[in-house]
Amino acid sequence: MENFRGFWVLSLLKDIYGDSLGINVKPIYTPEDISSLEKELPGKFPFTRGPYATMYTHRPWTIRQYAGFSTVEESNAFYKENLKAGQQGLSVAFDLATHRGYDSDHPRVSGDVGMAGVAIDSVEDMKVLFDGIDLSKVSVSMTMNGAVLPILAMYIVAALEQGCTYEQMRGTIQNDILKEFMVRNTYIYPVHESMRIIGDIFEFTSKKMPNYNSISISGYHIQEAGANAVLELGFTIADGIEYIRTGIKAGLTVDEFAPRLSFFWGIGMNFYMEVAKLRAARKLWAILVQKHFNPKSKNSLRLRAHSQTSGWSLTEQDPYNNIVRTTVEAMAATFGGTQSLHTNSLDEAIALPTKFSARIARNTQIILQEEAHIPRVADPFAGSYMIESLTNEVYEKALEIIEEVEALGGMTKAIESGMPKMRIQESAARRQAQIDSGAETIVGVNRHIVKDTEGEQKVEVLSIDNSKVLTSQLSKLSSLKKDRNNDIVIKSLQDLEAAARSGDANLLELSVIAAMNRCTVGEISNAIENVFGRYSSPSMLVSGAYKSEYFDSHNEDTNGEINIATSVIKETEEFLEKHGRRPREAARLAIDSDVHVIGASSLAAGHKTLVPQLIQEIKKADPNHSILVIVGGVIPKNDYQFLYDAGVAAIYGPGTPIPNSASHLLDLIDKNNS
């Protein structure tokens, strides 16, 4: 096991717990564990027991299902059905092209249009998305960060042209760019320029949209990338502190915008920890905002949150188990005191959710509200020796993370140092090692596995016709550009670019004017990019965490089977001796770099379009080259043969143990180079 650097593939892993949590959950708790804690009430500082005195007893949490796919027409019909069936607010998912500020006709994004969310190119798309939905009455949450200016502007214009006033607009724009630099990567502009945009949004919404949440500070994506509960909580609250500083720097007082800040939590399968995390979050926020900013309004101290059950915890194997997982996570969120909730569908580790699976997910919440009667009591775990003690421990550990970030100069400086990303990657690697070694049980994946094909449960898969969506969007874009006043369009974009350069005007205000004049998402984004530039993230990888966790937690079976991880290390060193170098894997400059493998991972259902294109490009550039293309991510098994026929060498679906895939891949490379 010496020279473990040969275990090359293991730096690409995902995980959540590891030993970095630093909290030892005991088998029994007594009054002594909470003897030093003060008694608290819901609605009272520091709001550990909830931001409001009555909590769900007056009004249950809002059922807000995150959805968007294909065309705006199909998404609109889906929203209307859900609202009729009991959903209480809309939560819009946009496709990756929109997230990155590209119009659907941009050559970089042809395979992504309409695949992981709805495609929006102009205000005309936004108007159709909400056609027949009264935006003066329905709250709308939009998960948008990079292209936040054009998307929020287009929502505003769509609402205004529907007859809605600024004061009537209710909902949330995610607008949390800091976590994009840590984990999610749908940024467009560099960090400091992106923070300026957030300041402009705070200024505009605080003056014109008093009932609209100008940011949703997201821990969800931090957890999904592999952070444990403490890292998620610490980094997210640290982000919030940085955003308050940004608002103050923009010339606002804390009370002018802090009451409209909201948070967004990921809820995983560690039930007690998740309940404690949400309670600790409110306490942390209230105490730190009071300490650093001394607001006059108590509303500036209330942490209000949306939550979503984990997508990471869902499994491709034995997928109906996911209904139980989502239910457990939903209960943790509601016992923790979330203000709104999205419950994931059972099939989201396989493909986009179908109407059938989405109905089950939505009804899960309705059943918890109306049959389980969870809303009857505010903070029912209050006084629990275990939950109160755990809440305090999570609070203390997260505070240490926040203080570490503050010592670096705040979250913007911390991100530039790479600290948050590296800590999350380490946490991810440790948890994957625990799962692969069997130390952590995942039912249907590493324990209680269905081994016979008759026992496998097949689920219906939603498939989006990317070419159909793309054709529709291109047609609408062409019509828009023919019908609009292009002189006004050019003037709007010039004004926006000039403001980005000078800093003398509010970028959201000018984006609203541009959207009103039918400028597109891509045009608005590009006008600002001409000044700010487009950010490219440096590559950072953690090594060693997976190895130490795997071998510390692995127990060999009673047959004395050779540890596969040890075997892979040996195979890698043999490969080095045979080929003179370790196997290389890359996604760019593959031929120039003389790589063995290109790995493509699809989480956005773009595999049937993008992977064949990749293979064709390799063949065009060098017909005789022997580069292998392998694929991972969320891919329905029905699509496997299509990918193999297109030339894919191997597919590693969700739940594939890393040592197994590494060993298999080494064999493939060796045979391909023989």
Side-chain angles (χ1 to χ4, degrees):
M1 289 187 292
E2 293 180 9
N3 195 0
F4 189 75
R5 290 173 298 172
F7 210 178
W8 54 277
V9 76
L10 300 181
S11 60
L12 306 176
L13 310 175
K14 296 232 168 177
D15 156 52
I16 230 172
Y17 294 112
D19 57 10
S20 60
L21 201 60
I23 295 174
N24 180 29
V25 177
K26 301 188 297 184
I28 189 169
Y29 287 78
T30 67
E32 283 69 31
D33 289 296
I34 61 171
S35 59
S36 62
L37 300 181
E38 296 182 8
K39 294 180 181 179
E40 297 180 20
L41 290 172
K44 298 290 185 181
F45 182 89
F47 306 106
T48 309
R49 297 193 58 190
Y52 308 114
T54 56
M55 287 303 289
Y56 307 144
T57 62
H58 177 66
R59 188 180 77 174
W61 66 88
T62 300
I63 299 172
R64 187 189 296 278
Q65 291 300 95
Y66 179 57
F69 55 89
S70 187
T71 62
V72 287
E73 291 84 0
E74 289 189 61
S75 291
N76 173 262
F78 187 76
Y79 293 156
K80 287 177 178 176
E81 285 182 18
N82 284 354
L83 289 170
K84 287 180 181 178
Q87 186 173 312
Q88 297 153 334
L90 299 180
S91 188
V92 183
F94 299 95
D95 69 1
L96 289 178
T98 307
H99 273 291
R100 298 303 305 277
Y102 294 119
D103 287 334
S104 297
D105 60 0
H106 196 287
R108 288 186 184 176
V109 298
S110 58
D112 291 322
V113 176
M115 297 304 289
V118 65
I120 297 290
D121 289 319
S122 74
V123 73
E124 294 301 327
D125 287 333
M126 194 71 80
K127 289 175 69 175
V128 175
L129 185 66
F130 297 120
D131 181 51
I133 298 170
D134 189 345
L135 294 178
S136 69
K137 296 178 180 178
V138 176
S139 172
V140 177
S141 173
M142 297 187 291
T143 301
M144 179 52 63
N145 302 280
V148 63
L149 285 173
I151 289 301
L152 181 53
M154 288 172 188
Y155 163 80
I156 290 170
V157 174
L160 290 172
E161 294 187 1
Q162 196 186 83
C164 184
T165 66
Y166 279 109
E167 291 76 16
Q168 290 173 320
M169 296 177 197
R170 294 185 301 115
T172 305
I173 187 76
Q174 190 164 101
N175 192 29
D176 176 10
I177 203 66
L178 288 174
K179 65 94 175 43
E180 298 294 325
F181 292 104
M182 280 190 267
V183 293
R184 194 162 173 263
N185 302 323
T186 62
Y187 42 70
I188 299 176
Y189 315 112
V191 183
H192 289 280
E193 289 80 358
S194 296
M195 293 297 281
R196 177 187 156 189
I197 289 171
I198 287 174
D200 281 3
I201 291 171
F202 286 172
E203 180 187 36
F204 184 95
T205 55
S206 66
K207 292 177 179 178
K208 292 197 171 189
M209 303 166 70
N211 296 309
Y212 195 82
N213 298 323
S214 55
I215 195 168
S216 176
I217 306 158
S218 176
Y220 181 86
H221 303 97
I222 295 174
Q223 184 187 102
E224 290 290 282
N228 59 46
V230 166
L231 287 176
E232 178 195 1
L233 178 54
F235 288 152
T236 306
I237 296 295
D239 283 348
I241 292 170
E242 191 82 334
Y243 288 132
I244 289 185
R245 292 191 179 116
T246 299
I248 293 172
K249 186 178 178 181
L252 303 170
T253 67
V254 63
D255 290 322
E256 285 182 298
F257 68 96
R260 302 313 304 175
L261 305 185
S262 66
F263 286 78
F264 174 27
W265 302 115
I267 308 297
M269 284 297 290
N270 194 336
F271 182 84
Y272 299 125
M273 192 67 69
E274 295 296 352
V275 174
K277 181 184 74 182
L278 267 64
R279 300 176 88 251
R282 291 189 290 269
K283 182 178 179 180
L284 266 173
W285 182 248
I287 290 175
L288 291 176
V289 172
Q290 180 70 58
K291 175 183 176 182
H292 291 295
F293 307 107
N294 194 29
K296 296 178 181 178
S297 171
K298 285 187 178 180
N299 287 332
S300 296
L301 304 175
R302 299 179 200 268
L303 185 153
R304 297 162 301 109
H306 172 69
S307 298
Q308 180 173 340
T309 60
S310 175
W312 193 95
S313 70
L314 304 180
T315 64
E316 177 188 40
Q317 299 87 344
D318 223 354
Y320 286 100
N321 289 340
N322 294 333
I323 298 174
V324 181
R325 293 186 177 103
T326 294
T327 303
V328 169
E329 292 166 352
M331 292 177 68
T334 56
F335 284 135
T338 190
Q339 277 58 69
S340 62
L341 178 63
H342 166 91
T343 33
N344 284 331
S345 301
L346 68 96
D347 49 1
E348 290 190 44
I350 303 169
L352 296 170
T354 62
K355 291 181 180 179
F356 170 76
S357 64
R359 186 176 78 246
I360 293 174
R362 182 188 64 248
N363 287 349
T364 298
Q365 295 196 53
I366 295 173
I367 290 168
L368 292 180
Q369 286 187 354
E370 299 183 14
E371 293 188 33
H373 304 299
I374 288 177
R376 285 189 174 183
V377 178
D379 192 23
F381 274 112
S384 160
Y385 305 145
M386 189 268 189
I387 292 296
E388 294 288 12
S389 177
L390 190 56
T391 297
N392 190 58
E393 284 196 78
V394 171
Y395 170 91
E396 294 293 344
K397 293 294 181 181
L399 183 59
E400 292 177 9
I401 297 292
I402 295 166
E403 290 173 344
E404 185 178 351
V405 169
E406 289 294 288
L408 291 171
M411 187 51 89
T412 300
K413 293 289 186 183
I415 287 172
E416 291 175 340
S417 76
M419 184 273 279
K421 180 173 283 191
M422 296 296 283
R423 294 287 290 276
I424 293 166
Q425 286 185 0
E426 180 183 4
S427 176
R430 290 188 182 282
R431 182 158 188 214
Q432 190 64 49
Q434 290 177 339
I435 293 170
D436 289 350
S437 68
E440 180 181 342
T441 295
I442 306 293
V443 174
V445 175
N446 63 2
R447 293 283 191 280
H448 313 292
I449 300 170
V450 177
K451 295 184 178 179
D452 62 292
T453 55
E454 293 182 2
E456 289 185 0
Q457 298 162 315
K458 296 183 179 179
V459 298
E460 178 189 355
V461 171
L462 175 64
S463 180
I464 302 297
D465 186 344
N466 167 248
S467 61
K468 180 181 176 181
V469 182
L470 183 59
T471 299
S472 172
Q473 290 302 116
L474 295 182
S475 175
K476 287 189 284 187
L477 270 170
S478 177
S479 297
L480 175 85
K481 292 179 179 179
K482 286 179 183 178
D483 295 339
R484 67 188 184 178
N485 185 324
N486 285 313
D487 290 336
I488 294 177
V489 166
I490 292 170
K491 175 67 164 55
S492 299
L493 296 174
Q494 287 174 340
D495 290 347
L496 195 56
E497 184 172 336
R501 185 169 285 107
S502 68
D504 293 337
N506 187 288
L507 292 176
L508 178 55
E509 185 172 2
L510 291 173
S511 295
V512 170
I513 295 171
M516 200 171 290
N517 291 330
R518 273 38 187 185
C519 297
T520 68
V521 166
E523 289 169 340
I524 293 172
S525 298
N526 191 61
I528 299 169
E529 184 182 340
N530 288 340
V531 180
F532 291 171
R534 184 170 282 263
Y535 181 75
S536 179
S537 175
S539 178
M540 295 181 181
L541 292 176
V542 168
S543 63
Y546 182 96
K547 172 200 170 183
S548 62
E549 192 67 37
Y550 188 98
F551 287 106
D552 285 347
S553 59
H554 185 78
N555 293 315
E556 295 187 82
D557 64 24
T558 54
N559 295 324
E561 184 178 310
I562 296 175
N563 187 313
I564 189 169
T566 304
S567 176
V568 170
I569 297 169
K570 183 179 178 182
E571 289 175 34
T572 305
E573 295 309 316
E574 291 172 351
F575 187 100
L576 170 63
E577 292 180 13
K578 183 175 182 179
H579 297 279
R581 59 190 173 97
R582 293 188 175 84
R584 300 176 188 170
E585 184 173 358
R588 296 180 180 176
L589 304 177
I591 293 172
D592 291 342
S593 301
D594 190 28
V595 301
H596 293 101
V597 178
I598 296 178
S601 180
S602 172
L603 299 177
H607 52 277
K608 293 179 73 173
T609 302
L610 299 176
V611 173
Q613 287 179 0
L614 171 64
I615 293 171
Q616 289 304 314
E617 287 300 316
I618 293 172
K619 289 180 179 178
K620 281 182 190 177
D622 189 350
N624 299 318
H625 210 281
S626 59
I627 296 174
L628 296 175
V629 174
I630 62 170
V631 182
V634 180
I635 300 174
K637 288 190 176 179
N638 292 345
D639 293 346
Y640 278 26
Q641 192 58 51
F642 172 89
L643 293 174
Y644 287 134
D645 292 343
V648 169
I651 302 170
Y652 305 115
T656 304
I658 296 300
N660 293 31
S661 60
S663 178
H664 180 253
L665 184 54
L666 283 169
D667 288 341
L668 285 177
I669 296 171
D670 201 22
K671 291 175 183 177
N672 195 47
N673 286 272
S674 296

